[in-house]
Amino acid sequence: MKRLDSRLLLRGLLVVFGLAGFALGALVASSSFARVTRSAELEDVFTDAAELPPDLVDQVVWADDPATLERQMEPLTRTGLTSAWLRAWEQVSIVSETGQIDGVEVYFSGSARESVISLASSWGGQSRTQLGHDLELTFYSLDGQIIGLTATESRFELERTTSSDTRTALTRERFDAVLVLEDGNWRIHHLVRRDVEREPWVPVLTD
Amino acid sequence: MRRLTKPTWRVVGVFVALLAAMAVWAARPDAEVLAAIELSDLEVQSPATHPADAALPVSITGVIPGDVVSVIIESSYGIRQIEVVAESTSIQVEIAPSDHAEAGLVVIDVWSPNGYGSTTVELTPGEAVGPLDVYLGPRTMFANGNDLAMVVAVPVDVQGNPVASGTRVDTRTIRPDRSVEVDATTTSGLLGYRIIFSETLAGATTVSATSGAAIGPARRVDEVANTPVDLDVVLLDPVPPSDGAALFRVSTNELVDQFGNLLPDGTIVTLDAVGVTGVRRQTAATIAAVATFVVQVPDLPGKAAFTAYVSTATSPPLVVDFEPAVAELPVRVTVPDEVTVPDAVDAGLQIEIGSVTTPLGSLVPDGTHALITLQSDGTDLRIVRRTQLYRGEGAITISRQELDDFGGAFGLTVTVLGVQATADWPRP
C-alpha cells in the first residue's frame, strides 16, 4: 500500500509536469509564429501595392477654400486630390519600410520624385506612417493643371528600430506643396516642410 | 505513507527545478523592454537657419567617447544617416550639402547607444536657376478684351528647391499686334502667377517669364475670335429643280466677331433645312472663316428655309423655292381589244407614262419614282402602284380582276417628283 502511494504520487507529478510542458510548448510555438508573421519578408509582400487605407480618407479634413482663388475647385477634383495626397504619403511609407521605389513616379514628379528616390535607401531602421492631414487649398490654376496647398497639420507616426530597441514618436508637421496634373494623375511636384512638432520617442512594448 | 526514497526525491527535485525555470521564463521581461533603457539627453546645436547649399555644422555634446553616434537628417522627403565615432564628449559634425539638399525645416536627430538629442534647422533655398518652370493655360482665349489665361512660374534653386516666398518673377507678354507688356509678381506658396487678359485682336500671344537669372521657355496662348456677328446664309449655285438628286452649294458669309476677327479654321457650323420633305441637319467646319455645305435638293417642289448656327449666333433663314423638276408628264391609258388580244380578259388597264422631261428639256433621272393611283368615284376603293422610270418612261398594268370592285368611273393620278397628271376614265 505504501509503495502504491509512492507510485501514485510519482504518476500525479508526471501528469502535472506533462501538462505544464505541453502548455510551455504551445506558448513557445505561438510566440514563434507571431514573430514569423511580423517578418520583413511578409511585410514586403503585403505592402507592395499602394492600397489606400479607407479609414484614412476620413482623416483628411479640408479647410474652407479662400475666396481669393481664381478658380473654384470641383468636388471631383478635390476627391482625386485627396486620394493622390494620401497615396503619395502611403508611397513614402512603403519606401521607408521596404526601400521599394516602384510606385514613386506615379505620385511624385520633378525634383520631388528625384528626392524621394534618392533617399529611398537611407531609411534603414526608420519608417514613417501617416495618420491624418488637415489641408487647405492655396492656389488652383485657371486651366485646372496646378494646385498649391498647405498641409496645416499632417500627423505621422515615426518608428525607429535599432539592434537594441524600437521606439516610436508622433509628429505633427506643416507642409507647403505644389501638385501638377500629369497624364490625368495629380502628382506632388514640390514639398517643403515648414514646421514640426514632435512628441518624445517612446519605447515599443511588445509581448 | 512511507518516506519517499532518494531517487524519488531526485525526480521531484528535477521537476521542481523545471517548474521554477518555467516560471522564470514566463515572467521574463520582454527583450525590447529590457533594452528600453532611459536615454540620456544629448545636446545638439546647429544654426536656426542655414543655406541649403552650404555645409551644415552640428555640435553634439554629452556623448561617451568611443560611442558610435548616428546623425539622422530628416527632410521633407526622407532621411539621410551619418555615423561618427565620438572621440570625446563633445563632437562637431559637418553635414555636406549633398546630405541635406532639400530646403525647408529639417530635423536632426542624434542617437548614441545611451543618448538622444534633436534640433531643427530651417534650410533656406538659393537663388532661382534656369530653366524656369513655366506653365500657361488655358491655351486659347477669346479676343474679346475680357477673357483670361494664367501664367504660373515655379522658380527653383540649383538643388530643385522652390525659392523663398517673395521672390520676384517678371513676365513679358507679346501681343498679336507686337505690343509688349512687362509685369512682375512675387512668389507665394512656392509659386508665382499672373493673370493675362485678352485683347481684341486675334492671333498668338507669347508669354515668357524670368526670375533673377533664371529664364523660362516662352509659352503661347492663342487669342481667337468670339461668337460671329451678322451670321448669314448665301446660295453659291443656282437652285436646281427638285428632282431629289441634284446638289447645290450653300455657305455662310465670312464669319467675323464684333471686333472684326475672322473665326478660326475648324469652327463648326450647323445648317438646318426645313421644307416640304421635313428637317435636314448638316454640319461643316470653317475654312478661311467660311463654312460651305453641299445640299441635295428635295424630291418635292416647294419652299425650304436654311438657317445656320455658330455657338450662340443664329442666321436669319434663307428661303429657297424649289421649282418642280417635271415639265411634261404624259400619261396614256389603253384598254386592249378583247377580240384582237387573246389574253385581254386579264389584261385590264394599261397605263404608260412618258417621256417625262425636266424644265431643261432633259429626261428625268433614271430611277425616278412614279406613283399611280386609281380612285373609284363611287367607293373608297383605291389601287396604288409605284414604278421607276427608265429613260423617262414607265408602264404598269392593272388587271381586270382588280378593277372588278370598281363601280362606274374612276380617277387616275400619276405623280412624278411632286408633279401630278390626272385623268378620268370609264370602266372598260
Side-chain angles (χ1 to χ4, degrees):
Chain A
M1 185 65 187
K2 287 179 180 175
R3 179 173 292 274
L4 189 61
D5 288 343
S6 176
R7 285 180 181 171
L8 279 174
L9 181 61
L10 278 174
R11 285 176 184 170
L13 282 172
L14 280 172
V15 169
V16 168
F17 284 114
L19 288 173
F22 178 76
L24 180 63
L27 195 62
V28 169
S30 64
S31 174
S32 301
F33 182 74
R35 287 178 190 281
V36 167
T37 53
R38 287 202 308 271
S39 71
E41 291 77 12
L42 282 179
E43 284 179 1
D44 287 352
V45 170
F46 289 123
T47 56
D48 215 14
E51 292 297 331
L52 188 63
D55 294 347
L56 265 180
V57 177
D58 298 332
Q59 298 303 315
V60 175
V61 177
W62 282 93
D64 292 340
D65 292 345
T68 53
L69 287 179
E70 300 293 345
R71 169 176 172 157
Q72 295 302 307
M73 177 166 282
E74 306 81 3
L76 203 60
T77 303
R78 194 183 302 276
T79 302
L81 185 62
T82 303
S83 174
W85 182 259
L86 287 172
R87 287 177 183 278
W89 279 112
E90 200 63 18
Q91 194 63 44
V92 170
S93 180
I94 290 170
V95 169
S96 70
E97 292 172 8
T98 68
Q100 295 292 319
I101 58 170
D102 294 343
V104 171
E105 72 275 9
V106 179
Y107 306 107
F108 294 88
S109 70
S111 58
R113 177 177 57 212
E114 292 170 10
S115 294
V116 173
I117 290 175
S118 70
L119 296 176
S121 59
S122 307
W123 282 94
Q126 189 154 317
S127 64
R128 165 183 285 256
T129 304
Q130 60 180 333
L131 301 176
H133 305 271
D134 295 345
L135 304 180
E136 182 178 342
L137 193 64
T138 56
F139 176 79
Y140 189 26
S141 68
L142 277 179
D143 60 353
Q145 303 286 313
I146 306 169
I147 280 175
L149 65 81
T150 296
T152 53
E153 184 179 288
S154 283
R155 297 169 290 280
F156 301 95
E157 183 187 61
L158 307 180
E159 186 172 294
R160 173 179 164 78
T161 301
T162 64
S163 57
S164 58
D165 69 358
T166 299
R167 291 171 184 266
T168 63
L170 297 177
T171 178
R172 289 179 289 278
E173 307 183 0
R174 178 187 175 92
F175 292 94
D176 284 338
V178 171
L179 291 92
V180 295
L181 187 63
E182 293 178 343
D183 308 325
N185 292 320
W186 285 106
R187 295 191 170 109
I188 294 179
H189 200 58
H190 290 295
L191 188 67
V192 178
R193 184 165 56 189
R194 297 301 189 194
D195 196 14
V196 176
E197 195 177 317
R198 182 179 293 177
E199 295 182 4
W201 291 90
V202 294
V204 176
L205 302 176
T206 57
D207 52 353
Chain B
M1 188 173 173
R2 79 180 178 90
R3 290 186 61 183
L4 296 175
T5 60
K6 255 187 179 178
T8 304
W9 275 117
R10 284 183 189 144
V11 171
V12 171
V14 169
F15 284 150
V16 168
L18 273 172
L19 265 180
M22 287 168 56
V24 168
W25 185 88
R28 80 197 192 287
D30 190 273
E32 288 160 344
V33 176
L34 273 177
I37 55 176
E38 280 295 318
L39 296 174
S40 61
D41 287 335
L42 303 181
E43 187 179 344
V44 183
Q45 289 184 326
S46 68
T49 62
H50 193 74
D53 58 355
L56 175 65
V58 177
S59 169
I60 306 163
T61 307
V63 294
I64 298 173
D67 277 355
V68 176
V69 177
S70 293
V71 180
I72 297 177
I73 306 108
E74 187 193 55
S75 71
S76 305
Y77 299 105
I79 64 173
R80 291 179 175 85
Q81 303 193 37
I82 300 171
E83 288 193 343
V84 293
V85 178
E87 294 179 351
S88 66
T89 57
S90 179
I91 57 176
Q92 304 291 323
V93 178
E94 192 165 83
I95 302 171
S98 58
D99 284 327
H100 61 78
E102 294 82 23
L105 197 69
V106 169
V107 179
I108 298 175
D109 285 332
V110 178
W111 297 83
S112 71
N114 300 301
Y116 167 76
S118 182
T119 190
T120 59
V121 184
E122 176 74 36
L123 292 180
T124 54
E127 297 294 317
V129 297
L132 187 59
D133 210 3
V134 180
Y135 305 86
L136 178 64
R139 305 305 291 267
T140 60
M141 56 182 176
F142 288 126
N144 58 6
N146 196 34
D147 205 358
L148 40 86
M150 178 185 278
V151 58
V152 182
V154 190
V156 295
D157 68 6
V158 70
Q159 291 170 306
N161 297 307
V163 297
S165 288
T167 299
R168 178 182 169 120
V169 175
D170 295 292
T171 60
R172 189 165 182 266
T173 305
I174 304 175
R175 297 289 184 175
D177 62 0
R178 313 308 300 166
S179 64
V180 178
E181 300 166 11
V182 176
D183 206 339
T185 184
T186 55
T187 60
S188 173
L190 311 184
L191 52 83
Y193 73 93
R194 194 172 83 79
I195 299 289
I196 297 170
F197 285 93
S198 68
E199 295 192 334
T200 57
L201 178 62
T205 290
T206 305
V207 183
S208 58
T210 58
S211 180
I215 301 171
R219 304 293 186 196
R220 171 179 159 162
V221 54
D222 287 329
E223 298 192 49
V224 298
N226 202 350
T227 306
V229 293
D230 301 329
L231 174 60
D232 211 351
V233 183
V234 294
L235 279 170
L236 296 182
D237 297 323
V239 179
S242 53
D243 63 1
L247 303 174
F248 69 105
R249 293 177 303 159
V250 169
S251 79
T252 63
N253 58 337
E254 190 173 64
L255 301 180
V256 295
D257 69 4
Q258 61 175 320
F259 300 106
N261 298 306
L262 296 176
L263 263 71
D265 284 356
T267 301
I268 298 297
V269 181
T270 302
L271 180 74
D272 278 357
V274 182
V276 289
T277 56
V279 180
R280 187 179 302 175
R281 170 164 290 185
Q282 291 177 255
T283 58
T286 58
I287 298 174
V290 174
T292 303
F293 303 85
V294 177
V295 181
Q296 187 176 21
V297 296
D299 57 3
L300 291 176
K303 292 181 178 177
F306 293 84
T307 308
Y309 305 91
V310 181
S311 184
T312 56
T314 303
S315 74
L318 168 70
V319 179
V320 176
D321 194 359
F322 292 98
E323 297 293 328
V326 174
E328 293 181 10
L329 177 55
V331 178
R332 296 180 298 280
V333 181
T334 59
V335 181
D337 187 334
E338 295 181 9
V339 177
T340 58
V341 180
D343 57 353
V345 173
D346 294 327
L349 193 67
Q350 287 189 347
I351 303 170
E352 294 175 338
I353 307 167
S355 296
V356 183
T357 59
T358 69
L360 301 176
S362 61
L363 298 175
V364 295
D366 286 349
T368 298
H369 285 264
L371 186 70
I372 300 101
T373 306
L374 274 85
Q375 176 70 54
S376 169
D377 285 348
T379 69
D380 292 335
L381 294 176
R382 173 185 293 181
I383 295 174
V384 178
R385 291 286 188 277
R386 190 184 296 271
T387 187
Q388 289 181 303
L389 305 181
Y390 177 64
R391 293 183 177 175
E393 295 181 346
I396 64 164
T397 299
I398 308 294
S399 69
R400 186 177 297 276
Q401 285 83 351
E402 290 179 273
L403 296 171
D404 279 348
D405 295 331
F406 279 63
F410 57 85
L412 170 66
T413 305
V414 177
T415 306
V416 177
L417 296 173
V419 176
Q420 292 184 337
T422 60
D424 291 327
W425 203 262
R427 181 181 180 191

